[in-house]
Amino acid sequence: RSFRGRIPVLLKNIKIFRPFELLVRMMGTPGNSEVDPTPAAAIAYTVIFGVMFGDLGQGLILAATGLFLSKYGEKKHGERSSMADFGGIMIWCGLSAAFFGILYGSVFSYEHFIPALLFHPMENMMQLLLMAIMMGTVFISLGLLLNIINGLLAGRYEDSLCGARGMPGLAIYGSCIFFAMRFILAGKVPGTQEIISALAFPAAVFCLRGPLEFIFFHGEHIFHNGLFEYIVETIIEIMEMFSGFLGNTISYIRAGAFALSHAGLSLAVFTLAGIVDPSMNSIGAILVIVTGNIFIILLEGLVCGIQSMRLEYYEFFGKFFKGDGVAFTPFSLGLKQVKDGGIE
């Protein structure tokens, strides 16, 4: 297994996912027994960014800027240069922002230019925050599922089938999310028997992970450091499991919060333009709107990009990604042909 972990890895993805290998490489190279997280990283990053930066006009500006950077980077530094990859990421983030701008009904900071297919963020704050949390639960569940797959591929069956981030953790997290969402949407409080039925088996599997590993996976000891330490460690890990899952899920509220921040800045721009000219027809009011949109694109684009990366790395990648692989680097013998036909 130690030898397998040193086999060089070369990431190969289809063209639409290829720029996001830049985000993966910033966290490390996936091991040869890990699933390539690039497609999942691409989807997660663009969706999170779009939720935060939902504006049709500004999103298309970002996409156009990304297209320019991508073409310029390819021409100047090569197809797989960092600039070209960054431009590719901007293209998809801009298109995602444009899509959510249609859902929010926002065009160049104006929220009533087109009807919202979903809702206006400033008028439906609780729905926006709930949507952000639901998005977080999907990505956290996906991260746990990828961790199970990676464990099975690497031969760590005990971690995948009995660990806190394995099948017991996924079952417990899924059950808790189901009860919470049912209470929020339908107001139904889960009964004690229902909770026990859902959580008892995965909790028992996790608590008995030591004996199960010894029996089914040829472990060396039932309790590696003694029974007392095993019990204390299990209690602490259960507490960390619940607190960690809760903290990770709540952390996705920031996606909704930054969407509200973006909508708030947009409202401020049109408020200032209205102060300059209530009819919004003068050159001064138009300049305020244009300048405000440029400021929002620059500031919010940077902030949303950083926060999307933070959520992806810590709340999503942290569930399954180790990044301890070795990147494949082609080498050259450095042979040079000389005038007399020799080689030096």
Side-chain angles (χ1 to χ4, degrees), residues 72-130:
Y72 179 80
E74 290 178 4
K75 183 178 180 180
K76 198 75 174 178
H77 305 286
E79 185 179 357
R80 296 312 315 274
S81 65
S82 297
M83 180 178 292
D85 286 344
F86 179 71
I89 293 173
M90 281 190 65
I91 291 173
W92 292 109
C93 286
L95 293 177
S96 176
F99 172 75
F100 279 94
I102 296 175
L103 297 182
Y104 297 160
S106 178
V107 181
F108 286 118
S109 301
Y110 187 59
E111 290 197 357
H112 298 284
F113 185 78
I114 59 174
L117 295 183
L118 190 60
F119 52 69
H120 296 295
M122 294 297 290
E123 299 174 4
N124 299 270
M125 296 183 184
M126 295 307 298
Q127 289 91 328
L128 176 65
L129 297 179
L130 180 60

Side-chain angles (χ1 to χ4, degrees), residues 244-267:
F245 286 157
L246 179 62
N248 295 152
T249 304
I250 293 177
S251 185
Y252 276 89
I253 289 181
R254 74 182 63 224
F258 279 98
L260 291 175
S261 173
H262 186 226
L265 283 176
S266 301
L267 179 62

Side-chain angles (χ1 to χ4, degrees), residues 24-41:
V24 176
R25 291 195 299 267
M26 290 174 65
M27 277 291 286
T29 302
N32 60 283
S33 59
E34 285 186 89
V35 175
D36 181 4
T38 304

Side-chain angles (χ1 to χ4, degrees), residues 12 22 56 109 135 140-141 147 255:
K12 295 185 68 176
L22 177 64
L56 176 58
S109 301
M135 175 186 67
I140 291 173
S141 300
N147 186 62

